[in-house]
Amino acid sequence: MAKKSLIEREKKRQKLEQKYHLIRQSLKKEIIKVTSLSDKWEIHGKLESLPRNSAPIRLHRRCFATGRPRANYRDFGLSGHILREMVHICLLPGAIRSSW
């Protein structure tokens, strides 16, 4: 189980990303449209002034059940060992255990 503080920090980053998403997107579109270099630097400065944790690259996918940050499957939102346990208990329909 992941520490509660790390999970809460990730939630805070998600809220910040949603809050600044439209602003960040519009500034990036402006950079593409503007031709003069000085205007591009000015817009780039506005982008840099936004909070660092509002960037989507800083978000990390976590396991829905345990909060584990590694070995997550996008389709299920679960980490590998929780996914394996759920398949063994037959809680995930259509998932088949490998036997060879």
Side-chain angles (χ1 to χ4, degrees):
M1 188 72 166
K3 291 170 66 175
K4 296 282 185 186
S5 60
L6 295 177
I7 294 171
E8 291 302 317
R9 187 183 305 162
E10 195 65 34
K11 287 179 184 176
K12 183 180 175 183
R13 283 182 182 149
Q14 287 174 350
K15 287 179 187 176
L16 270 175
E17 195 274 331
Q18 290 173 356
K19 181 179 177 181
Y20 289 100
H21 178 73
L22 293 176
I23 296 170
R24 190 174 289 277
Q25 192 176 20
S26 65
L27 287 173
K28 286 185 177 186
K29 285 182 181 178
E30 282 184 40
I31 284 180
I32 293 171
K33 291 179 183 177
V34 173
T35 56
S36 77
L37 192 59
S38 61
D39 291 340
K40 285 189 180 192
W41 279 109
E42 183 180 330
I43 296 170
H44 185 70
K46 290 179 185 176
L47 262 175
E48 284 182 342
S49 68
L50 295 177
R52 187 177 276 184
N53 282 333
S54 69
I57 196 72
R58 292 181 66 98
L59 293 178
H60 207 276
R61 195 172 34 250
R62 289 188 172 270
C63 176
F64 180 72
T66 61
R68 181 178 160 85
R70 298 183 184 204
N72 286 315
Y73 288 87
R74 290 180 189 170
D75 298 335
F76 302 104
L78 297 169
S79 63
H81 72 281
I82 298 294
L83 180 73
R84 185 171 186 269
E85 289 174 6
M86 291 181 83
V87 169
H88 283 293
I89 303 171
C90 299
L91 292 177
L92 293 176
I96 300 170
R97 290 185 299 175
S98 175
S99 59
W100 23 277

